[in-house]
Amino acid sequence: MDWPQIHPSQADVVRSPFLAPPELSAAVRAVASPLLVEPGETVFTAESPATGVYLVTAGTVRAYMLAEDGRELICRTLSAGSVLGLPAAMCSKTYQFTVEAVGSVSLSFVETAVLNEMLRGNTALCMLVVGMMSDELTEIHQTHEHMRNCTNTSCSLHGVCSQHLG
């Protein structure tokens, strides 16, 4: 299969570590399986083996962690264009968060092996993914630190804690 070739100078700067540049979105959609997730349905759970990545094509999902006391600590909400589970899938790890549909959500799912093959054939896309993974891992680390601090202080999380997370 021929993958779209992208010159690095054509790649948009990623504004969010979870938001796929248009070139990556198009490439993922070309090889992905479409999924429809109903409101309240779980896309994947924290600590489950990562089998691939999801691109949100329509709708909104929320990513959360469970606190030691069982509370759901919402880390962020993500909408169309967001990529879910990238570092976990690329590193054959487990997902960091539980992700659940807020309303009806359309997703595109790509198995890790298919994504890897696509990236082998396109250096520019591979570099976009490396940049996204770096940014996302930094965000995940900051979120984990924030959640740890919030469970030890009076910070209440009824959504994303606007005091500490952007």
Short mmCIF file of all heavy atoms in Angstrom, two decimals, residues 1-55:
data_model
loop_
_atom_site.label_atom_id
_atom_site.label_comp_id
_atom_site.label_asym_id
_atom_site.label_seq_id
_atom_site.Cartn_x
_atom_site.Cartn_y
_atom_site.Cartn_z
N MET A 1 0.85 -1.18 0.00
CA MET A 1 0.00 0.00 0.00
C MET A 1 0.88 1.23 0.00
O MET A 1 1.87 1.30 0.71
CB MET A 1 -0.90 -0.01 1.24
CG MET A 1 -1.76 1.21 1.37
SD MET A 1 -2.88 1.16 2.79
CE MET A 1 -4.16 0.12 2.13
N ASP A 2 0.52 2.23 -0.81
CA ASP A 2 1.27 3.49 -0.84
C ASP A 2 0.70 4.43 0.20
O ASP A 2 -0.50 4.71 0.22
CB ASP A 2 1.16 4.15 -2.21
CG ASP A 2 1.89 3.38 -3.28
OD1 ASP A 2 2.91 2.75 -2.95
OD2 ASP A 2 1.44 3.40 -4.44
N TRP A 3 1.56 4.93 1.09
CA TRP A 3 1.13 5.86 2.12
C TRP A 3 1.36 7.27 1.60
O TRP A 3 2.27 7.51 0.82
CB TRP A 3 1.95 5.65 3.40
CG TRP A 3 1.97 4.25 3.85
CD1 TRP A 3 3.03 3.39 3.80
CD2 TRP A 3 0.89 3.48 4.38
NE1 TRP A 3 2.67 2.16 4.28
CE2 TRP A 3 1.35 2.20 4.65
CE3 TRP A 3 -0.44 3.77 4.66
CZ2 TRP A 3 0.56 1.20 5.18
CZ3 TRP A 3 -1.23 2.77 5.20
CH2 TRP A 3 -0.73 1.51 5.44
N PRO A 4 0.56 8.21 2.04
CA PRO A 4 0.78 9.59 1.60
C PRO A 4 2.17 10.05 2.03
O PRO A 4 2.56 9.83 3.17
CB PRO A 4 -0.31 10.39 2.33
CG PRO A 4 -1.24 9.40 2.92
CD PRO A 4 -0.55 8.08 2.96
N GLN A 5 2.91 10.62 1.12
CA GLN A 5 4.23 11.12 1.44
C GLN A 5 4.14 12.59 1.83
O GLN A 5 3.49 13.38 1.14
CB GLN A 5 5.18 10.96 0.25
CG GLN A 5 5.42 9.51 -0.12
CD GLN A 5 6.11 8.74 1.00
OE1 GLN A 5 7.10 9.20 1.56
NE2 GLN A 5 5.58 7.59 1.33
N ILE A 6 4.76 12.94 2.92
CA ILE A 6 4.69 14.31 3.44
C ILE A 6 6.10 14.82 3.66
O ILE A 6 6.91 14.16 4.30
CB ILE A 6 3.93 14.36 4.77
CG1 ILE A 6 2.53 13.79 4.59
CG2 ILE A 6 3.86 15.77 5.31
CD1 ILE A 6 1.86 13.48 5.90
N HIS A 7 6.41 15.96 3.13
CA HIS A 7 7.68 16.59 3.40
C HIS A 7 7.59 17.23 4.78
O HIS A 7 6.58 17.85 5.11
CB HIS A 7 7.98 17.64 2.33
CG HIS A 7 9.35 18.20 2.45
ND1 HIS A 7 9.65 19.24 3.28
CD2 HIS A 7 10.50 17.83 1.85
CE1 HIS A 7 10.95 19.51 3.19
NE2 HIS A 7 11.48 18.67 2.33
N PRO A 8 8.64 17.09 5.63
CA PRO A 8 8.57 17.65 6.98
C PRO A 8 8.18 19.12 7.03
O PRO A 8 7.51 19.56 7.96
CB PRO A 8 9.98 17.43 7.54
CG PRO A 8 10.49 16.26 6.78
CD PRO A 8 9.89 16.37 5.40
N SER A 9 8.54 19.91 6.01
CA SER A 9 8.19 21.33 6.03
C SER A 9 6.70 21.55 5.85
O SER A 9 6.19 22.63 6.13
CB SER A 9 8.95 22.08 4.95
OG SER A 9 8.53 21.64 3.67
N GLN A 10 5.96 20.52 5.39
CA GLN A 10 4.52 20.65 5.20
C GLN A 10 3.74 20.31 6.46
O GLN A 10 2.54 20.54 6.51
CB GLN A 10 4.05 19.72 4.08
CG GLN A 10 4.63 20.06 2.73
CD GLN A 10 4.28 19.01 1.70
OE1 GLN A 10 4.14 17.84 2.03
NE2 GLN A 10 4.15 19.43 0.46
N ALA A 11 4.39 19.73 7.45
CA ALA A 11 3.69 19.29 8.66
C ALA A 11 3.31 20.50 9.52
O ALA A 11 4.12 21.38 9.77
CB ALA A 11 4.57 18.34 9.47
N ASP A 12 2.05 20.53 9.93
CA ASP A 12 1.60 21.59 10.82
C ASP A 12 2.18 21.38 12.21
O ASP A 12 2.44 20.25 12.61
CB ASP A 12 0.07 21.57 10.96
CG ASP A 12 -0.62 21.97 9.67
OD1 ASP A 12 0.01 22.63 8.83
OD2 ASP A 12 -1.79 21.60 9.52
N VAL A 13 2.35 22.45 12.94
CA VAL A 13 2.78 22.35 14.33
C VAL A 13 1.59 21.84 15.14
O VAL A 13 0.48 22.34 15.00
CB VAL A 13 3.24 23.72 14.86
CG1 VAL A 13 3.55 23.65 16.34
CG2 VAL A 13 4.44 24.21 14.07
N VAL A 14 1.81 20.83 15.96
CA VAL A 14 0.74 20.27 16.76
C VAL A 14 0.50 21.18 17.95
O VAL A 14 1.41 21.47 18.72
CB VAL A 14 1.11 18.84 17.23
CG1 VAL A 14 0.01 18.27 18.11
CG2 VAL A 14 1.36 17.96 16.03
N ARG A 15 -0.74 21.65 18.10
CA ARG A 15 -1.07 22.57 19.19
C ARG A 15 -1.39 21.83 20.49
O ARG A 15 -1.23 22.35 21.55
CB ARG A 15 -2.25 23.43 18.78
CG ARG A 15 -1.90 24.41 17.69
CD ARG A 15 -3.11 25.25 17.28
NE ARG A 15 -2.77 26.17 16.24
CZ ARG A 15 -2.74 25.85 14.95
NH1 ARG A 15 -3.02 24.63 14.56
NH2 ARG A 15 -2.43 26.74 14.05
N SER A 16 -1.85 20.62 20.37
CA SER A 16 -2.18 19.80 21.52
C SER A 16 -1.47 18.47 21.36
O SER A 16 -1.40 17.96 20.25
CB SER A 16 -3.69 19.58 21.58
OG SER A 16 -4.00 18.49 22.41
N PRO A 17 -0.96 17.90 22.44
CA PRO A 17 -0.27 16.62 22.29
C PRO A 17 -1.20 15.49 21.85
O PRO A 17 -0.74 14.46 21.43
CB PRO A 17 0.29 16.35 23.68
CG PRO A 17 -0.50 17.20 24.59
CD PRO A 17 -0.96 18.37 23.80
N PHE A 18 -2.49 15.70 21.92
CA PHE A 18 -3.44 14.65 21.56
C PHE A 18 -4.08 14.88 20.19
O PHE A 18 -4.75 14.00 19.68
CB PHE A 18 -4.54 14.54 22.63
CG PHE A 18 -3.97 14.28 23.98
CD1 PHE A 18 -3.82 15.31 24.89
CD2 PHE A 18 -3.57 13.00 24.35
CE1 PHE A 18 -3.27 15.06 26.14
CE2 PHE A 18 -3.04 12.75 25.60
CZ PHE A 18 -2.88 13.79 26.50
N LEU A 19 -3.92 16.06 19.62
CA LEU A 19 -4.57 16.41 18.38
C LEU A 19 -3.69 16.03 17.19
O LEU A 19 -2.57 16.52 17.05
CB LEU A 19 -4.87 17.91 18.36
CG LEU A 19 -5.76 18.42 17.24
CD1 LEU A 19 -7.14 17.74 17.32
CD2 LEU A 19 -5.92 19.92 17.35
N ALA A 20 -4.21 15.16 16.33
CA ALA A 20 -3.44 14.69 15.18
C ALA A 20 -3.39 15.77 14.10
O ALA A 20 -4.41 16.38 13.79
CB ALA A 20 -4.07 13.43 14.62
N PRO A 21 -2.23 15.98 13.52
CA PRO A 21 -2.15 16.86 12.35
C PRO A 21 -2.99 16.27 11.22
O PRO A 21 -3.20 15.05 11.17
CB PRO A 21 -0.67 16.85 11.99
CG PRO A 21 0.03 16.35 13.20
CD PRO A 21 -0.93 15.46 13.91
N PRO A 22 -3.49 17.09 10.31
CA PRO A 22 -4.35 16.60 9.23
C PRO A 22 -3.74 15.44 8.43
O PRO A 22 -4.44 14.51 8.05
CB PRO A 22 -4.57 17.82 8.34
CG PRO A 22 -4.28 19.00 9.22
CD PRO A 22 -3.29 18.53 10.24
N GLU A 23 -2.43 15.49 8.19
CA GLU A 23 -1.78 14.43 7.43
C GLU A 23 -1.88 13.09 8.14
O GLU A 23 -2.12 12.05 7.51
CB GLU A 23 -0.29 14.77 7.20
CG GLU A 23 -0.05 16.06 6.48
CD GLU A 23 0.02 17.29 7.41
OE1 GLU A 23 -0.22 17.16 8.62
OE2 GLU A 23 0.32 18.37 6.90
N LEU A 24 -1.70 13.10 9.46
CA LEU A 24 -1.78 11.87 10.22
C LEU A 24 -3.23 11.38 10.30
O LEU A 24 -3.49 10.18 10.15
CB LEU A 24 -1.19 12.05 11.62
CG LEU A 24 -1.19 10.80 12.50
CD1 LEU A 24 -0.38 9.67 11.85
CD2 LEU A 24 -0.62 11.13 13.88
N SER A 25 -4.16 12.29 10.50
CA SER A 25 -5.58 11.91 10.53
C SER A 25 -5.98 11.22 9.24
O SER A 25 -6.65 10.18 9.25
CB SER A 25 -6.47 13.14 10.73
OG SER A 25 -6.33 13.65 12.02
N ALA A 26 -5.58 11.78 8.10
CA ALA A 26 -5.93 11.20 6.80
C ALA A 26 -5.31 9.82 6.63
O ALA A 26 -5.97 8.88 6.16
CB ALA A 26 -5.49 12.13 5.67
N ALA A 27 -4.06 9.67 7.04
CA ALA A 27 -3.38 8.38 6.90
C ALA A 27 -4.01 7.33 7.81
O ALA A 27 -4.18 6.17 7.40
CB ALA A 27 -1.89 8.54 7.22
N VAL A 28 -4.39 7.72 9.02
CA VAL A 28 -5.03 6.78 9.95
C VAL A 28 -6.39 6.36 9.40
O VAL A 28 -6.72 5.17 9.37
CB VAL A 28 -5.17 7.40 11.36
CG1 VAL A 28 -6.13 6.60 12.22
CG2 VAL A 28 -3.80 7.49 12.02
N ARG A 29 -7.17 7.31 8.94
CA ARG A 29 -8.50 6.98 8.40
C ARG A 29 -8.41 6.02 7.23
O ARG A 29 -9.31 5.19 7.03
CB ARG A 29 -9.24 8.24 8.00
CG ARG A 29 -9.80 9.00 9.18
CD ARG A 29 -10.71 10.13 8.71
NE ARG A 29 -11.05 10.96 9.84
CZ ARG A 29 -10.93 12.28 9.86
NH1 ARG A 29 -10.52 12.93 8.79
NH2 ARG A 29 -11.28 12.96 10.94
N ALA A 30 -7.34 6.12 6.45
CA ALA A 30 -7.20 5.26 5.27
C ALA A 30 -7.02 3.79 5.63
O ALA A 30 -7.34 2.92 4.83
CB ALA A 30 -6.01 5.74 4.42
N VAL A 31 -6.53 3.50 6.84
CA VAL A 31 -6.27 2.11 7.22
C VAL A 31 -7.08 1.67 8.44
O VAL A 31 -6.94 0.54 8.90
CB VAL A 31 -4.76 1.89 7.51
CG1 VAL A 31 -3.94 2.13 6.26
CG2 VAL A 31 -4.27 2.76 8.65
N ALA A 32 -7.94 2.53 8.94
CA ALA A 32 -8.65 2.28 10.20
C ALA A 32 -9.97 1.56 10.01
O ALA A 32 -10.55 1.55 8.93
CB ALA A 32 -8.91 3.61 10.91
N SER A 33 -10.42 0.96 11.10
CA SER A 33 -11.76 0.38 11.19
C SER A 33 -12.65 1.37 11.93
O SER A 33 -12.29 1.81 13.02
CB SER A 33 -11.72 -0.93 11.97
OG SER A 33 -10.88 -1.86 11.35
N PRO A 34 -13.80 1.74 11.35
CA PRO A 34 -14.68 2.68 12.05
C PRO A 34 -15.43 2.00 13.19
O PRO A 34 -15.77 0.82 13.11
CB PRO A 34 -15.65 3.13 10.96
CG PRO A 34 -15.65 2.03 9.96
CD PRO A 34 -14.29 1.37 10.03
N LEU A 35 -15.63 2.74 14.28
CA LEU A 35 -16.38 2.27 15.43
C LEU A 35 -17.35 3.34 15.88
O LEU A 35 -17.04 4.52 15.81
CB LEU A 35 -15.43 1.98 16.61
CG LEU A 35 -14.35 0.93 16.45
CD1 LEU A 35 -13.40 0.98 17.64
CD2 LEU A 35 -14.98 -0.43 16.34
N LEU A 36 -18.50 2.92 16.37
CA LEU A 36 -19.44 3.84 16.99
C LEU A 36 -19.57 3.43 18.45
O LEU A 36 -19.81 2.27 18.75
CB LEU A 36 -20.81 3.78 16.30
CG LEU A 36 -21.87 4.73 16.86
CD1 LEU A 36 -21.42 6.19 16.74
CD2 LEU A 36 -23.19 4.52 16.15
N VAL A 37 -19.37 4.40 19.34
CA VAL A 37 -19.43 4.14 20.77
C VAL A 37 -20.59 4.94 21.35
O VAL A 37 -20.72 6.13 21.08
CB VAL A 37 -18.09 4.53 21.46
CG1 VAL A 37 -18.13 4.23 22.93
CG2 VAL A 37 -16.92 3.82 20.79
N GLU A 38 -21.44 4.28 22.10
CA GLU A 38 -22.63 4.90 22.68
C GLU A 38 -22.27 5.69 23.95
O GLU A 38 -21.26 5.42 24.59
CB GLU A 38 -23.67 3.83 23.01
CG GLU A 38 -24.17 3.07 21.79
CD GLU A 38 -24.83 3.97 20.76
OE1 GLU A 38 -25.52 4.94 21.14
OE2 GLU A 38 -24.63 3.72 19.55
N PRO A 39 -23.10 6.65 24.32
CA PRO A 39 -22.84 7.44 25.54
C PRO A 39 -22.63 6.55 26.76
O PRO A 39 -23.38 5.60 26.98
CB PRO A 39 -24.13 8.27 25.70
CG PRO A 39 -24.70 8.35 24.32
CD PRO A 39 -24.35 7.05 23.66
N GLY A 40 -21.57 6.84 27.51
CA GLY A 40 -21.27 6.10 28.72
C GLY A 40 -20.48 4.82 28.49
O GLY A 40 -19.98 4.22 29.43
N GLU A 41 -20.33 4.42 27.23
CA GLU A 41 -19.59 3.20 26.92
C GLU A 41 -18.09 3.45 27.03
O GLU A 41 -17.59 4.51 26.66
CB GLU A 41 -19.95 2.73 25.51
CG GLU A 41 -19.40 1.37 25.14
CD GLU A 41 -19.86 0.92 23.76
OE1 GLU A 41 -20.86 1.46 23.24
OE2 GLU A 41 -19.20 0.03 23.21
N THR A 42 -17.37 2.46 27.53
CA THR A 42 -15.92 2.56 27.69
C THR A 42 -15.22 2.20 26.39
O THR A 42 -15.53 1.18 25.78
CB THR A 42 -15.44 1.63 28.82
OG1 THR A 42 -16.10 2.03 30.04
CG2 THR A 42 -13.95 1.71 29.02
N VAL A 43 -14.28 3.04 25.99
CA VAL A 43 -13.46 2.77 24.81
C VAL A 43 -12.35 1.81 25.20
O VAL A 43 -12.13 0.80 24.54
CB VAL A 43 -12.89 4.07 24.22
CG1 VAL A 43 -11.98 3.79 23.03
CG2 VAL A 43 -14.01 5.04 23.83
N PHE A 44 -11.62 2.12 26.27
CA PHE A 44 -10.62 1.23 26.85
C PHE A 44 -10.42 1.61 28.30
O PHE A 44 -10.80 2.70 28.72
CB PHE A 44 -9.29 1.21 26.08
CG PHE A 44 -8.62 2.54 25.89
CD1 PHE A 44 -7.88 3.13 26.91
CD2 PHE A 44 -8.70 3.20 24.67
CE1 PHE A 44 -7.24 4.35 26.73
CE2 PHE A 44 -8.06 4.42 24.48
CZ PHE A 44 -7.34 4.99 25.51
N THR A 45 -9.86 0.68 29.08
CA THR A 45 -9.67 0.93 30.50
C THR A 45 -8.19 1.03 30.84
O THR A 45 -7.34 0.42 30.18
CB THR A 45 -10.30 -0.18 31.36
OG1 THR A 45 -9.71 -1.43 30.99
CG2 THR A 45 -11.79 -0.24 31.16
N ALA A 46 -7.89 1.80 31.88
CA ALA A 46 -6.53 1.92 32.37
C ALA A 46 -6.00 0.54 32.74
O ALA A 46 -6.74 -0.30 33.27
CB ALA A 46 -6.48 2.84 33.58
N GLU A 47 -4.77 0.31 32.43
CA GLU A 47 -4.05 -0.92 32.74
C GLU A 47 -4.42 -2.09 31.82
O GLU A 47 -3.88 -3.17 31.97
CB GLU A 47 -4.21 -1.33 34.21
CG GLU A 47 -3.77 -0.26 35.20
CD GLU A 47 -2.32 0.17 35.01
OE1 GLU A 47 -1.44 -0.68 34.75
OE2 GLU A 47 -2.05 1.39 35.09
N SER A 48 -5.33 -1.88 30.84
CA SER A 48 -5.60 -2.95 29.88
C SER A 48 -4.54 -2.90 28.79
O SER A 48 -4.01 -1.83 28.47
CB SER A 48 -7.01 -2.82 29.29
OG SER A 48 -7.13 -1.63 28.54
N PRO A 49 -4.20 -4.06 28.21
CA PRO A 49 -3.17 -4.08 27.17
C PRO A 49 -3.57 -3.20 25.98
O PRO A 49 -4.71 -3.23 25.53
CB PRO A 49 -3.12 -5.55 26.74
CG PRO A 49 -3.73 -6.31 27.87
CD PRO A 49 -4.73 -5.39 28.50
N ALA A 50 -2.63 -2.41 25.53
CA ALA A 50 -2.88 -1.52 24.39
C ALA A 50 -2.75 -2.32 23.09
O ALA A 50 -1.72 -2.92 22.83
CB ALA A 50 -1.88 -0.37 24.40
N THR A 51 -3.82 -2.32 22.32
CA THR A 51 -3.84 -3.08 21.06
C THR A 51 -3.79 -2.18 19.84
O THR A 51 -3.63 -2.66 18.73
CB THR A 51 -5.12 -3.93 20.98
OG1 THR A 51 -6.26 -3.07 21.10
CG2 THR A 51 -5.13 -4.98 22.08
N GLY A 52 -3.94 -0.88 20.04
CA GLY A 52 -3.91 0.05 18.93
C GLY A 52 -4.27 1.44 19.38
O GLY A 52 -4.35 1.71 20.58
N VAL A 53 -4.45 2.31 18.41
CA VAL A 53 -4.80 3.71 18.69
C VAL A 53 -6.18 4.02 18.11
O VAL A 53 -6.63 3.37 17.17
CB VAL A 53 -3.76 4.70 18.13
CG1 VAL A 53 -2.41 4.50 18.77
CG2 VAL A 53 -3.65 4.59 16.63
N TYR A 54 -6.80 5.00 18.70
CA TYR A 54 -8.12 5.45 18.29
C TYR A 54 -8.02 6.91 17.88
O TYR A 54 -7.39 7.71 18.57
CB TYR A 54 -9.11 5.35 19.45
CG TYR A 54 -9.33 3.95 19.95
CD1 TYR A 54 -8.44 3.36 20.85
CD2 TYR A 54 -10.44 3.22 19.54
CE1 TYR A 54 -8.65 2.07 21.32
CE2 TYR A 54 -10.66 1.93 20.01
CZ TYR A 54 -9.76 1.36 20.90
OH TYR A 54 -9.97 0.09 21.36
N LEU A 55 -8.67 7.25 16.79
CA LEU A 55 -8.80 8.63 16.37
C LEU A 55 -10.26 9.00 16.56
O LEU A 55 -11.16 8.31 16.05
CB LEU A 55 -8.41 8.78 14.89
CG LEU A 55 -8.64 10.16 14.26
CD1 LEU A 55 -7.70 11.20 14.87
CD2 LEU A 55 -8.45 10.09 12.76
#
